Amino acid sequence: MKRFEYIRALEPQQAVMFATPKDASFIAGGTNLLDLMKFEIETPLKLVDINRLELAEVEETADGGLRIGTLVTNSDLAAHPTVIANYPVLSRAILAGATGQLRNKATTGGNLLQRSRCYYFYQPDSACNKREPGSGCPAINGENRLLAILGTSESCIAQHPSDMALAMRLLDARVETLKTDGSTRQIALADFYCLPKDTPNIETVLETGELITHVTLPAPIKGMHTYDKVRDRASYAFAVVSCAAVVEVDDNNKLATVRLAFGGIGTQPWRNTAVEALLIGSDGNTEVINQAADLLLKEAKGSGQNDFKIPLTRRLLKQVIQRALANQGA
């Protein structure tokens, strides 16, 4: 690990001022950043510790939603009574990720910013456009079993790793930030992540030194909240394919509300509102589900080892919809 300067920030504006140089990084739980520094994938010359900022509260908003501080740990957020009662898909998604020890340290803001677990990204002696722009993407013709099939480009097929971000995307979360000039902004999570295109090293719309201070959720959504995660082992594994869903069935056994966000298959948390619109009002028959799957996977592109994700995603979509309808009739 390369030498670095360590400095503690006592309030948000101080934190962003300390992090103004391009060679500085914020650190909270450090569950991903420290690994990256050990491998010298990230080599900040300054670490700005934000753990003393008063950003670890979960508060209800005037419109019935939630405002979550960036330093709220994954464990605390998953166990929060309001989250369990009103946003169970979020609680379930968080608990499906990492281990208890990591969730005790990992923070809300840090989780949104975690980096891809692509094998080549973690190999400093390998080419990787995400790590070294212009060097190439050996994953396209190499080890790509867990990598993305949607949102990819000729420069990168790395998948987005976060379970929590998937549920946040489903719930229409917004990210609140503080910039170095003292201004603030709110960014819809739908607009927060960048597709790789020819600049896979640029993963979010955040500017240099910009600090995530809160994540806000709108009022709860009615319906069955579920999180399905297909993975290689029962715990501590990233998704092969996952689906965060809120599905409500009306008294006529028709789909009244459908929200679906998929993980493991996209270069960012993947949601297609046209797929949801197609399913609303239907009785979930096989023909409609197949049409929805066709639309979802219309631009899917396998790279060899990950081709199986296309039929697997189809089956997972069918399972989620049919289970919601079955539960309504139970």
Side-chain angles (χ1 to χ4, degrees):
M1 183 182 292
K2 292 188 176 180
R3 295 177 65 86
F4 58 88
E5 178 186 2
Y6 171 83
I7 187 166
R8 286 175 174 164
L10 301 179
E11 52 90 20
Q13 189 60 53
Q14 186 183 56
V16 296
M17 292 306 298
F18 286 155
T20 298
K22 292 184 178 181
D23 54 7
S25 294
F26 296 117
I27 185 168
T31 57
N32 188 206
L33 176 60
L34 293 180
D35 285 340
L36 294 170
M37 291 176 64
K38 290 174 184 177
F39 285 111
E40 295 190 3
I41 296 167
E42 292 195 16
T43 55
L45 298 181
K46 181 191 293 184
L47 285 187
V48 181
D49 188 334
I50 62 172
N51 282 294
R52 294 193 177 188
L53 307 186
E54 296 182 0
L55 296 173
E57 299 294 326
V58 178
E59 307 166 303
E60 294 191 26
T61 61
D63 61 356
L66 280 187
R67 189 167 186 250
I68 304 160
T70 193
L71 294 178
V72 175
T73 67
N74 287 180
S75 291
D76 286 347
L77 186 58
H80 195 280
T82 304
V83 174
I84 293 173
N86 296 337
Y87 306 93
V89 64
L90 177 57
S91 180
R92 292 168 186 170
I94 293 171
L95 293 174
T99 64
Q101 293 92 332
L102 287 171
R103 292 194 297 268
N104 288 342
K105 291 294 293 181
T107 61
T108 298
N111 189 299
L112 294 179
L113 296 175
Q114 62 180 300
R115 309 293 302 278
S116 174
R117 267 45 174 207
C118 174
Y119 313 118
Y120 299 97
F121 177 67
Y122 271 83
Q123 288 289 337
D125 58 348
S126 169
C128 174
N129 287 323
K130 188 178 285 291
R131 191 182 65 248
E132 186 179 346
S135 62
C137 180
I140 293 176
N141 296 309
E143 295 293 326
N144 53 48
R145 178 176 173 271
L146 293 179
L147 302 187
I149 58 174
L150 286 169
T152 61
S153 71
E154 294 182 357
S155 297
C156 184
I157 61 170
Q159 86 286 25
H160 192 276
S162 174
D163 293 285
M164 187 197 79
L166 194 61
M168 293 286 198
R169 175 70 183 89
L170 180 81
L171 297 168
D172 290 332
R174 300 185 69 84
V175 178
E176 295 184 13
T177 69
L178 175 66
K179 299 168 70 172
T180 56
D181 62 3
S183 64
T184 62
R185 62 170 170 162
Q186 290 197 4
I187 310 164
L189 198 63
D191 302 321
F192 184 74
Y193 296 107
C194 301
L195 292 173
K197 298 183 180 179
D198 59 355
T199 54
N201 57 304
I202 302 175
E203 298 179 351
T204 73
V205 298
L206 292 179
E207 299 175 4
T208 299
E210 191 170 5
L211 173 69
I212 296 175
T213 58
H214 298 86
V215 177
T216 58
L217 299 177
I221 309 163
K222 292 182 180 179
M224 181 185 74
H225 288 226
T226 62
Y227 189 70
D228 292 80
K229 184 175 182 179
V230 181
R231 47 187 165 178
D232 290 331
R233 55 181 183 268
S235 67
Y236 198 33
F238 292 99
V240 177
V241 179
S242 60
C243 180
V246 177
V247 182
E248 182 182 21
V249 180
D250 65 22
D251 294 337
N252 296 316
N253 215 36
K254 298 293 182 73
L255 297 168
T257 299
V258 179
R259 291 199 181 196
L260 304 166
F262 291 87
I265 63 172
T267 54
Q268 58 181 240
W270 204 262
R271 184 178 172 195
N272 188 324
T273 55
V275 172
E276 300 169 1
L278 178 62
L279 289 165
I280 290 174
S282 76
D283 60 2
N285 63 72
T286 300
E287 181 180 356
V288 173
I289 292 176
N290 286 338
Q291 290 174 355
D294 289 343
L295 182 57
L296 173 66
L297 297 164
K298 181 179 180 181
E299 297 182 0
K301 182 181 179 181
S303 300
Q305 295 178 4
N306 65 353
D307 291 352
F308 75 98
K309 287 191 175 190
I310 296 175
L312 179 58
T313 303
R314 298 181 71 94
R315 294 197 296 272
L316 184 57
L317 170 60
K318 182 177 181 180
Q319 172 183 294
V320 170
I321 298 300
Q322 290 187 339
R323 184 177 58 212
L325 290 164
N327 286 348
Q328 172 68 9

